[in-house]
Each structure stands twice: as C-alpha cells, then as structure tokens.
Amino acid sequence: MEPFQLLLVEDNDQDLATFQDSIETYTRQNNRDIRSTVCKTLEEALQILNSSFDGAIIDLRLKENADGNKVAQKITDLHFRIPIAVFTGTPENADPQLSYFGVFKKGEIEYSALFDMFWDIHCSGLTRIMGGRGVIEKSLNDVFTKNLLPQRQTWVDYGRVDSPRTEKALLRYTLSHLLQLLDEEVEHSFPEEVYIYPPFSPGLRTGNIVKRGDDKRFVVLSPACDLVVRETGQPKSDQVLLVEVESFQTVLTPILEGANNKTRQNRVEKLLANNYSDNYHWLPRTSFFDGGFVNFRKLYSVAHDRFGEEFAAPALQISPSFIKDVVARFSSYYARQGQPDIDCAGFVDELCQVDRR
C-alpha cells in the first residue's frame, strides 16, 4: 500500500516534538507508512499545499493571530478532497462551514488515535479514489484527452447554439465514460451504493425515498418525464405515483412464522434476492436508512401541488443503477397477463400415461 502523506500545521515547539515522537513510535509499532510534512506558519502551509497530501492535522490558533481555518478553506477551494482534523486548544474557533471530519481538543486525545483514524480512511481507498491525485482525477484526464479533445469541434458547434445545454450534456457524457470503468468487473455492491445520500437535487426525482406525515415511507415511481417542471411551472402529470416501503418486521413476521431454521433461512435468502414474491423488492439497511421492502401492492397517488403538504422533502434517493430494477419489476408486476383456470384434471391423468403407451 502506498504511504500516507500527512500535513501538520502547528507552531508550538512542544507539540511538534510530541508529534514527531508519536509518529515515529506509531509507524514502528504498527508497521504503517505515514510520512509527515510540518508547517509552522499559515503562509508556509498555504504555499506548500498541493495534491500530494492524503490528510491534514491543523491547529487553529497560530502565531500572529493567524487562522488555521484558512488552510482548510484553501484545501476545499483547490478541490483536493482529503480528510482534515482540527487539533487545537481552541476547538470553538473551528469554522462549522468547513468539512472537518473531527474537531479535537489538545490534551483530550492522543496523536496516535488521530493516526488510526487517518489510516482507516486510507485503507478504505477513499483518498486513493477521491484525492487530488486519485483514480477519478486520472480517469477524468483520460476522458478529456482521449474522448473529448478529439471531438472538440462537435462540442464547440453545440456550444455556439446553446452553451448551458451543452455544458450539461458534456457532464452527462463524461459521467457515462467514467461509469464504463465499473463495467469491467462485476462485483457484489455494498448497501450504501444503493442510495444517493443526501441527494444533490432538491426537486422530485424517480427513486426519491420520502416520509409521509404518519411516518410511513414511500418511493417515488413516477417517470422522470412526469416530474419535470415545465416553463409554465407545472409538471407533465398532476399526480405523483408512490409505492410504500414496509419495515422488515412487518414483512418477515408472517413469512417466517412457524417455519424451521432451514426454511426460515431459505425464505430470507429468497426475499433478499427478490425471488420470494413478485410484489416485494428489498431495500438494504444502512447507517442512514432503516431499509425495508417495497410492496408493489401498496400504491399511493398524491397531487403534485399537494406533495409538500403530505410529505417531507426527499432525504435520500435510490441510485440510478438500482432504481431501474425497481421500476422494471414494478412494471412487470402490473403487466402480468392471466387467463381463467381450465379444468385440467382429465388432461393430467391422460398425459401422465403417455410414457406407458
């Protein structure tokens, strides 16, 4: 594994000595390669910042009343996307608008505990994917040089006609190329991949999970074209179609009642594979969502202009890769075609004798 490059912004000599002793002991005892760069002034830190760092520990009160928050602000402005921890005697000065993963007071936590936190993040691959020198940056560069630049004249022509529309199209085009990277290997997904949390768009979208006033949860299943608000201020359809999400207990209790252990396991496995019943679709539990089962039999419709009166704003959304399957199964469930049962007892007896003739 690549070494973890850590930036420390600290001007207290005693704290610096403690840091150096701590990191030497930590790397030796844990066999973890954490390499540090120390800056004692705000100016030095702002000047040295680049995409080589995987994380930063920042003291907020520096000499000459310098504000350590400015280091985090520059990291944010440069889109380096690395974890930042505040380690200071004045935690109340931390800017709540900045993306610190933790604000810690000196004397209440050891450097080694901070190193553990950074190393755990490093092992997850988060910084190797999202950091300033991560996989996404390299992939974006490949898309730019290999796909977009050779086609630049086409996009230039589109931009002359409608610049805002072309910019959005380029974003979609770029994302589709990035998603192709995921198609090379088929792996099991983690539950968190099922959702977008929190959702970026404030408007209603297919796949939004919303809570009604009675605390029941629903998934928005209206097609995207029905939800788009037009220039008139009205959507194509005046109704929003939703389907209820039932809790695990509600669904599992009657299904597992009276079953032995082997049967219970078999039924649960089928439920989670969406093979037990056509009307249930599993939504996995995560730290931000209790999960449950979509029940296609429990539909609900509400007028678009009354949606906000009955439902809270969407707190999360089923991601595009997964909502497609939900919609497809919903469509298949209601597209079933049946016929009246035929009295076939006589045919059964006759056909069972075929191999005896």
Side-chain angles (χ1 to χ4, degrees):
M1 184 178 295
E2 295 181 359
F4 187 92
Q5 303 290 347
L6 178 64
L7 171 66
L8 174 70
V9 182
E10 173 62 71
D11 62 359
N12 184 283
D13 290 335
Q14 183 176 349
D15 289 335
L16 283 174
T18 302
F19 171 81
Q20 295 293 358
D21 290 341
S22 298
I23 198 168
E24 289 175 8
T25 302
Y26 183 87
T27 54
R28 182 178 65 255
Q29 292 181 346
N30 296 280
N31 194 27
R32 295 175 175 177
D33 194 355
I34 300 180
R35 304 179 187 181
S36 63
T37 299
V38 175
C39 294
K40 299 183 67 173
T41 67
L42 175 63
E43 291 74 17
E44 183 182 359
L46 295 178
Q47 185 175 9
I48 203 174
L49 272 177
N50 56 49
S51 61
S52 67
F53 294 105
D54 297 302
I57 299 176
I58 300 173
D59 184 10
L60 296 181
R61 178 175 287 183
L62 302 172
K63 292 178 180 178
E64 299 179 358
N65 296 320
D67 183 4
N69 284 302
K70 292 182 179 178
V71 179
Q73 184 62 63
K74 184 170 182 180
I75 291 174
T76 301
D77 292 342
L78 293 174
H79 304 296
F80 287 154
R81 299 183 297 275
I82 61 173
I84 306 170
V86 168
F87 190 54
T88 181
T90 58
E92 65 276 5
N93 292 338
D95 188 341
Q97 302 300 317
L98 296 174
S99 299
Y100 297 122
F101 82 78
V103 178
F104 308 97
K105 188 172 183 177
K106 291 181 178 179
E108 296 183 355
I109 187 173
E110 300 292 333
Y111 274 115
S112 58
L114 292 179
F115 298 154
D116 276 337
M117 295 179 192
F118 279 112
W119 191 259
D120 286 343
I121 294 173
H122 186 53
C123 288
S124 74
L126 182 62
T127 53
R128 292 192 296 280
I129 293 173
M130 297 294 293
R133 64 181 192 280
V135 174
I136 287 183
E137 298 299 326
K138 180 183 181 302
S139 300
L140 284 173
N141 185 65
D142 288 343
V143 172
F144 180 72
T145 57
K146 298 177 181 179
N147 301 95
L148 296 179
L149 279 183
Q151 304 170 29
R152 61 188 180 277
Q153 189 56 52
T154 299
W155 293 103
V156 167
D157 293 340
Y158 289 147
R160 287 171 179 165
V161 177
D162 191 333
S163 180
R165 182 186 173 195
T166 302
E167 186 173 340
K168 290 182 179 180
L170 272 171
L171 178 58
R172 294 193 302 268
Y173 187 75
T174 301
L175 289 176
S176 66
H177 282 69
L178 290 178
L179 288 173
Q180 186 188 32
L181 296 172
L182 304 178
D183 294 335
E184 296 178 358
E185 297 181 7
V186 179
E187 299 178 344
H188 290 296
S189 298
F190 290 111
E192 285 72 16
E193 296 180 70
V194 176
Y195 311 105
I196 297 174
Y197 174 80
F200 288 116
S201 174
L204 273 181
R205 294 289 185 271
T206 308
N208 280 155
I209 298 178
V210 293
K211 183 180 288 188
R212 200 168 61 182
D214 57 4
D215 285 339
K216 289 186 177 181
R217 299 162 303 165
F218 293 80
V219 176
V220 176
L221 285 187
S222 293
C225 58
D226 283 355
L227 297 173
V228 174
V229 178
R230 300 182 173 184
E231 295 180 358
T232 60
Q234 298 296 322
K236 179 179 179 181
S237 173
D238 63 352
Q239 296 289 315
V240 179
L241 178 65
L242 305 104
V243 62
E244 187 175 342
V245 179
E246 295 188 312
S247 69
F248 287 106
Q249 183 176 2
T250 300
V251 174
L252 288 174
T253 299
I255 289 176
L256 300 182
E257 187 175 1
N260 59 38
N261 289 339
K262 184 175 182 180
T263 301
R264 290 165 67 92
Q265 180 176 344
N266 180 262
R267 290 178 181 178
V268 170
E269 288 176 350
K270 286 186 175 181
L271 265 171
L272 301 190
N274 296 321
N275 289 328
Y276 182 82
S277 173
D278 290 339
N279 63 290
Y280 286 128
H281 189 98
W282 176 49
L283 295 179
R285 180 188 296 113
T286 67
S287 60
F288 51 80
F289 179 51
D290 291 338
F293 293 92
V294 175
N295 188 345
F296 295 135
R297 292 176 180 172
K298 293 193 173 183
L299 299 180
Y300 186 75
S301 180
V302 61
H304 195 283
D305 57 5
R306 292 187 59 249
F307 185 87
E309 299 175 15
E310 293 194 34
F311 292 89
L316 72 159
Q317 180 175 346
I318 301 174
S319 64
S321 298
F322 292 90
I323 191 58
K324 290 178 181 177
D325 190 39
V326 177
V327 173
R329 295 193 69 233
F330 169 75
S331 301
S332 177
Y333 182 74
Y334 280 99
R336 303 189 321 277
Q337 299 295 320
Q339 67 176 22
D341 290 337
I342 301 173
D343 185 356
C344 59
F347 292 106
V348 171
D349 292 339
E350 177 185 345
L351 294 174
C352 283
Q353 300 300 321
V354 169
D355 63 343
R356 299 183 180 181
R357 294 177 183 175

